Amino acid sequence: MSTPEKYPTPPPPIWPEPAVYGTPAPPRPRRDWPREILAGLLVVLTISVLGAPLGVLWSALAPRVLVQMTADGPLLADAEPEEYVGSDVVFTLIGLAVGVLLGLGVWLLLRRWRGAAVLLGLMVGSLLGACVAWQIGRRIGLDDYAEIKRTAQAGWQFYRPPSLNSGEFFRILGVPVFPRGALAAQALAAVFTYTMIAGWSRFPGLRPDSDTKSESSEGYEWGRDRP
């Protein structure tokens, strides 16, 4: 009786390694809140100081109201002068234009610190800067105007320095706490511009160095990872 022929055991199959279609996501860096707050404070200080030249610009561009001295004191030469609201319009337009530029500039220059702290600094700095521009602009030529009023005779006509008629504050218990009206135009434009750009940003964390590469654009290395 013949014994069954033994065959060698076949080797186990060798399965190919799965293809790698991307690189592992690096750990997301932790937020440095102290430096972010410091960046926000720097934004507040810079924009507040910027209010000084804006006040000079407003004083130079705002129309003057013609005043006539009478026996009862100075009165408006025109009952309803357009210049009376012209200074408010000029102040508002300057604030809107500067606010847009500030929102864009802060987004581009402080890309490492994009976030809530910088946005809050942008808003607070714009409000303070508008108040500084208002106070400096209205005081330019104010002493000369007061001197002319003191010495003017009946019938004389002269111009009053620009003033802001719509610049008001929300008050709590009689204390002004928050600007509104023309004083809030710059802050509204700056915050709107910054948030609109953030809404269209392709980085979920708003910062290029804090997000992983997008799978659709940079996640594949076509020459090596793709089969």
Side-chain angles (χ1 to χ4, degrees), residues 124-159:
V124 175
S126 296
L127 292 174
L128 293 178
C131 293
V132 171
W134 169 42
Q135 291 299 318
I136 290 181
R138 65 181 290 269
R139 294 179 184 276
I140 297 178
L142 191 61
D143 294 338
D144 295 337
Y145 174 70
E147 181 64 20
I148 293 176
K149 282 200 309 180
R150 189 179 65 83
T151 60
Q153 300 178 5
W156 286 19
Q157 291 185 342
F158 46 92
Y159 289 96

Side-chain angles (χ1 to χ4, degrees), residues 120-212:
L120 182 61
L122 184 63
M123 182 188 70
V124 175
S126 296
L127 292 174
L128 293 178
C131 293
V132 171
W134 169 42
Q135 291 299 318
I136 290 181
R138 65 181 290 269
R139 294 179 184 276
I140 297 178
L142 191 61
D143 294 338
D144 295 337
Y145 174 70
E147 181 64 20
I148 293 176
K149 282 200 309 180
R150 189 179 65 83
T151 60
Q153 300 178 5
W156 286 19
Q157 291 185 342
F158 46 92
Y159 289 96
R160 188 192 71 180
S163 61
L164 200 59
N165 303 293
S166 62
E168 300 178 354
F169 290 83
F170 288 107
R171 297 178 179 269
I172 298 179
L173 300 178
V175 179
V177 294
F178 195 84
R180 63 178 181 177
L183 293 175
Q186 179 177 320
L188 290 174
V191 171
F192 177 80
T193 302
Y194 193 90
T195 52
M196 282 296 295
I197 298 175
W200 289 95
S201 175
R202 66 188 181 93
F203 302 106
L206 302 182
R207 308 169 191 177
D209 57 349
S210 64
D211 298 299
T212 59

Side-chain angles (χ1 to χ4, degrees), residues 65-70 74-81 156-158:
V65 176
L66 185 61
V67 178
Q68 182 174 350
M69 178 61 71
T70 64
L75 297 176
L76 297 178
D78 190 353
E80 297 180 357
W156 286 19
Q157 291 185 342
F158 46 92

Side-chain angles (χ1 to χ4, degrees), residues 30-102:
R30 299 178 60 183
R31 301 180 71 94
D32 192 352
W33 284 109
R35 292 191 178 183
E36 288 192 31
I37 295 175
L38 183 61
L41 293 177
L42 180 62
V43 171
V44 172
L45 179 61
T46 303
I47 299 179
S48 300
V49 174
L50 185 63
L54 292 180
V56 177
L57 177 64
W58 171 55
S59 178
L61 298 180
R64 265 58 173 175
V65 176
L66 185 61
V67 178
Q68 182 174 350
M69 178 61 71
T70 64
D72 298 328
L75 297 176
L76 297 178
D78 190 353
E80 297 180 357
E82 296 180 357
E83 296 82 2
Y84 192 74
V85 296
S87 59
D88 292 58
V89 174
V90 172
F91 190 93
T92 302
L93 292 178
I94 292 176
L96 292 176
V98 172
V100 172
L101 294 178
L102 286 176

Side-chain angles (χ1 to χ4, degrees), residues 23 111 174 191:
T23 57
R111 57 188 303 171
V191 171

